[in-house]
Amino acid sequence: MRRHYRAEGITPDALAADPMTQFARWFHDAARAEDQGALYEPNAMVVATADAEGRPSTRTVLLKAYDDRGFVFFTNYESRKAADITAHPYVSLLFPWHPMARQVIVSGTALRTGRDETAAYFRTRPHGSQLGAWASPQSTVIGSRTELDSSYADLERRYPEGEQVPVPPHWGGYRVVPQSVEFWQGRENRLHDRLRYVREPGSDGWRLERLAP
């Protein structure tokens, strides 16, 4: 199976001076594509980690915020990804915007967000998602779906709709502070454009470089 990508590409002089500004531009394009029905969940990203033995694992999570400091997602701190991050804080993010023939690839360090930031986000989650954060012992083996549903039902009785659900102490956010951000644009004949921002050592500046496809 093959797709022929577009003729138009990206050039260094058309990109922003820093990767987060450029990401905001592409994310805006992706969100607009979602509004038009051409893309599903543009904030879905693949998070790659490695455990203490260096064995990799990946999963898809949702980006919940981004700014000059990096990319934020939330999870269970007792999950497999959290254990990996404790062992090795270096992670990779991939935004696979296939319908646009675009990808964004981030390499950086994952740091826990503060509890105030975590609590502020938790309050914006739907009531059911708040209960779900308590109900699921993420990444652990469970006996059945019934066990999970029963745990959720118990919480639903304890915290009915309209009653404030406390923030789980084992749940919170990570901010991935980027060291490099690559913008990939599919091109004809598999001669894709790959432009990567790399953080200059000891500064807040960025170097822009082109990679061979």
Side-chain angles (χ1 to χ4, degrees):
M1 293 181 285
R2 291 191 178 276
R3 292 272 185 169
H4 293 288
Y5 298 134
R6 57 199 270 177
E8 301 82 8
I10 51 175
T11 59
D13 59 340
L15 297 187
D18 68 89
M20 300 311 295
T21 301
Q22 183 60 37
F23 179 82
R25 293 177 183 176
W26 273 26
F27 190 80
H28 175 76
D29 291 345
R32 185 170 55 192
E34 182 188 39
D35 291 341
Q36 297 169 350
L39 184 65
Y40 182 71
E41 287 193 326
N43 62 323
M45 60 184 185
V46 178
V47 179
T49 59
D51 66 14
E53 283 72 47
R55 294 172 296 195
S57 62
T58 58
R59 74 288 293 161
T60 302
V61 305
L62 296 178
L63 175 72
K64 290 301 180 180
Y66 67 89
D67 56 25
D68 291 342
R69 296 173 296 168
F71 304 83
V72 178
F73 67 92
F74 292 85
T75 189
N76 188 313
Y77 284 149
E78 296 174 354
S79 65
R80 178 177 177 177
K81 74 176 79 62
D84 286 358
I85 289 170
T86 297
H88 294 293
Y90 305 108
V91 305
S92 179
L93 311 178
L94 168 65
F95 293 87
W97 296 328
H98 301 309
M100 304 173 68
R102 284 181 173 178
Q103 300 179 74
V104 178
I105 304 150
V106 179
S107 294
T109 304
L111 306 172
R112 287 193 182 191
T113 61
R115 292 308 291 174
D116 288 347
E117 186 174 355
T118 290
Y121 169 69
F122 189 79
R123 297 289 170 234
T124 71
R125 287 165 65 92
H127 181 74
S129 296
Q130 292 180 1
L131 297 179
W134 280 100
S136 174
Q138 195 175 99
S139 300
T140 63
V141 176
I142 58 175
S144 66
R145 174 73 195 203
T146 300
E147 180 181 322
L148 188 64
D149 290 340
S150 176
S151 176
Y152 182 89
D154 288 344
L155 287 159
E156 200 170 26
R157 286 189 290 270
R158 184 175 180 184
Y159 301 106
E161 187 77 44
E163 185 166 332
Q164 188 175 78
V165 180
V167 182
H170 57 271
W171 187 93
Y174 284 103
R175 174 172 286 102
V176 178
V177 180
Q179 294 301 312
S180 71
V181 184
E182 178 184 332
F183 293 84
W184 184 101
Q185 176 68 68
R187 296 292 304 277
E188 291 181 326
N189 303 315
R190 295 300 186 262
L191 296 177
H192 313 305
D193 284 329
R194 298 175 60 190
L195 295 176
R196 181 173 65 184
Y197 294 82
V198 179
R199 191 183 295 276
E200 295 284 11
S203 76
D204 293 328
W206 296 89
R207 179 178 75 255
L208 184 61
E209 55 193 19
R210 179 179 286 275
L211 304 177

